[in-house]
Amino acid sequence: MTSFKYYVGASIDGFIADRNGSVQWFTPYASQPGVKKHFDEFFETVGAVVIGGKTYENIVRDATEGSVPWVFGDKPVWVFTHHELPTLPGADLTFIRGEVGFWSRDIAQSAGAGDVWVVGGADLAGAFVEADALDELLLVTVPEVLGGGANLFGRAISTQLSSLEITDLGADIVLSRYAIG
């Protein structure tokens, strides 16, 4: 059965983006061998991706400028947005508006036998929690204090987490995997 998983990197004080909304601070950690290996193994299980409009815009900008490649390959990418957004040639994109709960079944079906990676941003991940549609949080915590920025869920939510796994990824980086709800 398809699961919705929020795989995200955060500072030790719980921020996924800095005060300017940038995630570039995480780049040195993402290239650490243990982090890269774990993410690559996770990504092999992903059948579809869901992403918020602002996060999508940042990724498209970086891909268009050539600073990062389009990382989702040919996987279906569902973009929650309230605006018209640019497309990328060759990308399997579906732009949607509305409630997470309304679209979750279609998104899950597009994943085939794989899982759905809820990329973010934080507010979209929070919407998935509020809709009771997020199954797991995979949190990569790094040894850096940002002191402010975007928190994990972008909104005040309350939910119970159950620890499934804690993995040392090396370089003082820890992956904590939780079931949600």
Side-chain angles (χ1 to χ4, degrees), residues 38-61:
H38 190 276
F39 176 79
D40 290 347
E41 290 170 357
F42 164 78
F43 194 68
E44 288 178 17
T45 70
V46 171
V49 173
V50 64
I51 189 168
K54 290 179 194 171
T55 302
Y56 171 78
E57 283 181 294
N58 291 334
I59 292 170
V60 167
R61 182 195 62 236

Side-chain angles (χ1 to χ4, degrees), residues 62-121:
D62 292 345
T64 302
E65 292 172 356
S67 58
V68 296
W70 175 251
V71 296
F72 306 118
D74 61 355
K75 297 182 190 298
V77 176
W78 296 74
V79 182
F80 276 89
T81 183
H82 299 288
H83 310 286
E84 294 298 318
L85 295 173
T87 61
L88 283 174
D92 182 357
L93 298 167
T94 303
F95 296 96
I96 53 178
R97 291 181 173 95
E99 298 297 318
V100 165
F102 178 81
W103 290 102
S104 61
R105 179 175 292 156
D106 291 336
I107 296 167
Q109 286 177 339
S110 76
D115 291 322
V116 176
W117 177 22
V118 178
V119 174

